[in-house]
Amino acid sequence: MATAATDRTAAPEPAPHVLVVPYPAQGHTIPLLDLATLLASRGGVRLTVVATPATAPLLATHGDAVGELVLPFPSHPAFPAGVESAKGLSPALFGALIVAYAGLRAPLGDWARERSGDPDRVAAILSDFFCGWTQPLAAELGVSRIAFSPSAVYGTAVLHSLFRRMPQREDGDDESPIGFPDLLGAPAYPWRQLTLLYRTYRDGDEVSEGVRRNFLWNLEASSFVSNTFRRLEERYLVAPLADLVFRRVRAIGPLAPDAADTASGRGGETAVSAADLCAWLDGFADDDGSVVYISFGSMAVLQPPHAAALAAALERTGVPFVWAVGTAAPLPEWFEERVAAAAATAGRRRGKGRVVRGWAPQVAALRHRAVGWFVTHCGWNSVLEASAAGVPMLAWPMTADQFVNARLLVEEAGAAVPVSWDGIQAAPDADEVARVLGAAAGGRFAHVAARAKELAEEAAAAVTDGGASRQEMEELVRELRELGSEPKE
C-alpha cells in the first residue's frame, strides 16, 4: 500500500521570472527584444518586457513569447512632454532621455515588490546599458542584474572608459587625441569623434551627472551580454577588460533574423514592403552585387552638405542604388526629381536608383543578391546586419559609437572601406565620394568584399547549434535559471 507521501505529486516550481528593460531607441529596443524572444524559446524562464505606450507596438512584432508591462513615460523638466523615444530626437537631448527614462525606477520597484512574496517574483533583471538605474533597483529587490549592450564589446569598453576615467582634451582642441590605455593597442581618437554624451558633460549639471552615474552603475552589474560574435571581436573577448572592471561578457550575436524572416516587421512599419523592394532589386538579377544600399540609420539626419555630396556622387558614377533616407533627410531638390524621371523612362529596371522615404526593410535588402555594397553610418545594428548578409561596407561614421565601430571594421575586421572620417562637422568633396563609390562598384576592393563573405560564414557558424554565440546563449539561460532557483537574502 502506497504511503500518503508517495501519492502526492509536488507541483513543479514556476520558471524564474526575468524583468527585461529596453531603452527607448530602435537600435537598442529591437536587439533586446530579439534576445528576449530567443531566451523565451529556450524555455525555463519567463520574461516580462517593460515598455511605454509609444514603444509598446514594437512588442507586438515578437509574438506571445514574452509578457509586457506598459507604464506611462515619466515626466522630467529637462525633457519635452509627449516624447517617449529617441526617434527623431535632437542629439542634444539624448542625455536628457536617459535621465528622464530613469523615472521608471520607482513604479517598477512598486510593481516588483507587489510580487515579491509569490511565484511571480522577479528573479533577475536584464536591461540595456542606457538603463543603468536598474542596477540600484536590482539591489533594492535583492536580485542580480545583467547589462545588455546593443553595441560592440570594443565600443562598450570605450564608452565606459570615458565616464570611468573622465579624460580631457587640451586647450579646447577638437583634434586633441584621447587615448584608451587599457585597451589592446592603446587606441586614441580625436576629441570630435567621441560620443556627444561625453563631450557635452558639464560638472555639476543634473543631466550630465545622471548620464555619468548611469554608466558607472553598469560596472556593478553581474555581467554583460553583448550583441556581437567572437570572430568579429576575438581580441576583446579572450580576456576580461579593465574598462568593464573585468566583468564577464557574453557574446550572443548577431541578433539578426533568419533569412526566412527578413520580411518581418521587427523594426515597425516600413515605407515600402520587403516584397516590393526585392521585386525592384530582382531587375538587377543579371548583375549580382551591382546595387549600393544606403542608410544612415533611424536616428541620424544627414546635414544638407553631406546629402548633396552623396547625391552628386551617385549621379556622377551612375551606380545603381537604394537610398533609405528617412523622413527628414534634406536631399537636393533636383535629386529625387531626376531619380523619378529616370524610373519613368527606364522600362524593365524602372531606373537605376530608388529613394525610400521612411523606415526601409533593411535586412531584406542587404540579403538580396543584387546588393553588393552598403554605405552606412556604422551603427552597430547595421554593422551586424551587413556582416550576417556578407555585404561589405563603405563606412561614413557621424557620431556616437560610430567612429569606434568604423575603425573596428576598417582596421581590424577588414570588411569596410572608409568614405569620410569627418563626421557631421564637414562633408567630403563629392568627387572623393564618387571615387570611393566607383572603386567599389568597379571591383577594386575585392579583398574587402571577400572578407565580408568570410564574416558572414563566421556569423552564421556562431549562431548554429554548437556555435560560440549559441553556447553563450545556453549558458545565459542556465545563469538566469540558477538566479531564480533561490530567493536572494
Side-chain angles (χ1 to χ4, degrees), residues 141-158:
L141 299 175
V143 302
S144 293
R145 180 236 175 177
I146 297 170
F148 172 73
S149 169
S151 301
V153 176
Y154 177 37
T156 303
V158 165

Side-chain angles (χ1 to χ4, degrees), residues 230-271:
R230 181 163 288 275
R231 292 301 296 272
L232 180 57
E233 295 196 84
E234 190 118 30
R235 62 186 301 194
Y236 305 107
L237 288 163
V238 292
L241 298 174
D243 287 317
L244 297 178
V245 293
F246 303 103
R247 290 293 192 266
R248 168 71 184 269
V249 178
R250 298 190 188 279
I252 46 76
L255 291 169
D258 295 333
D261 195 35
T262 55
S264 72
R266 65 195 282 265
E269 186 177 353
T270 59

Side-chain angles (χ1 to χ4, degrees), residues 14-390:
H17 185 192
V18 179
L19 186 64
V20 181
V21 187
Y23 178 71
Q26 284 186 299
H28 291 244
T29 299
I30 293 171
L32 186 48
L33 288 179
D34 288 340
L35 173 57
T37 303
L38 283 172
L39 291 173
S41 72
R42 298 295 185 272
V45 291
R46 293 173 296 139
L47 300 105
T48 296
V49 179
V50 177
T52 65
T55 58
L58 282 177
L59 273 63
T61 64
H62 287 71
D64 299 324
V66 298
E68 65 178 57
L69 171 61
V70 180
L71 297 172
F73 189 91
S75 62
H76 191 280
F79 196 70
V83 179
E84 295 188 17
S85 75
K87 188 174 183 179
L89 190 68
S90 165
L93 288 171
F94 287 174
L97 175 56
I98 290 175
V99 174
Y101 200 59
L104 288 181
R105 176 177 165 181
L108 268 182
D110 292 342
W111 180 87
R113 278 185 284 272
E114 289 174 358
R115 291 155 179 77
S116 61
D118 61 38
D120 201 33
R121 69 178 182 85
V122 172
I125 296 176
L126 172 62
S127 58
D128 190 279
F129 69 10
F130 275 10
C131 299
W133 51 270
T134 56
Q135 183 62 40
L137 172 61
E140 292 170 8
L141 299 175
V143 302
S144 293
R145 180 236 175 177
I146 297 170
F148 172 73
S149 169
S151 301
V153 176
Y154 177 37
T156 303
V158 165
L159 177 62
H160 287 80
S161 176
L162 289 171
F163 286 100
R164 183 175 65 90
R165 298 185 302 110
M166 300 297 288
Q168 300 299 309
R169 59 178 169 171
E170 295 182 5
D171 303 322
D173 182 7
D174 278 354
E175 297 300 323
S176 179
I178 304 299
F180 295 86
D182 291 329
L183 283 171
L184 290 171
Y189 291 84
W191 175 266
R192 63 178 174 81
Q193 290 185 358
L194 302 181
T195 174
L196 191 66
L197 284 173
Y198 183 72
R199 288 189 286 122
T200 56
Y201 174 85
R202 298 198 311 267
D203 189 29
D205 174 72
E206 179 192 2
V207 170
S208 293
E209 297 296 350
V211 169
R212 184 180 186 220
R213 188 165 55 248
N214 173 87
F215 293 109
L216 295 182
W217 271 329
N218 287 332
L219 301 178
E220 300 174 19
S222 63
S223 62
F224 283 81
V225 174
S226 182
N227 184 19
T228 189
F229 58 101
R230 181 163 288 275
R231 292 301 296 272
L232 180 57
E233 295 196 84
E234 190 118 30
R235 62 186 301 194
Y236 305 107
L237 288 163
V238 292
L241 298 174
D243 287 317
L244 297 178
V245 293
F246 303 103
R247 290 293 192 266
R248 168 71 184 269
V249 178
R250 298 190 188 279
I252 46 76
L255 291 169
D258 295 333
D261 195 35
T262 55
S264 72
R266 65 195 282 265
E269 186 177 353
T270 59
V272 59
S273 70
D276 179 51
L277 184 56
C278 288
W280 186 86
L281 289 168
D282 287 342
F284 299 87
D286 58 346
D287 197 5
D288 286 357
S290 63
V291 179
V292 175
Y293 180 78
I294 305 162
S295 174
F296 290 86
S298 60
M299 291 168 57
V301 176
L302 283 184
Q303 301 299 306
H306 296 73
L310 181 52
L314 289 168
E315 185 164 81
R316 291 175 196 179
T317 60
V319 172
F321 68 89
V322 173
W323 189 350
V325 301
T327 57
L331 298 186
E333 292 182 4
W334 53 266
F335 182 70
E336 286 188 87
E337 293 176 1
R338 293 183 189 178
V339 170
T345 60
R348 181 176 62 88
R349 284 193 173 181
R350 291 169 284 172
K352 296 185 73 173
R354 182 160 184 178
V355 174
V356 178
R357 283 280 182 184
W359 188 262
Q362 181 165 293
V363 172
L366 290 174
R367 296 198 180 191
H368 195 285
R369 66 182 191 177
V371 172
W373 286 89
F374 180 18
V375 177
T376 173
H377 63 312
C378 297
W380 194 245
N381 279 325
S382 290
V383 167
L384 288 183
E385 288 168 0
S387 297

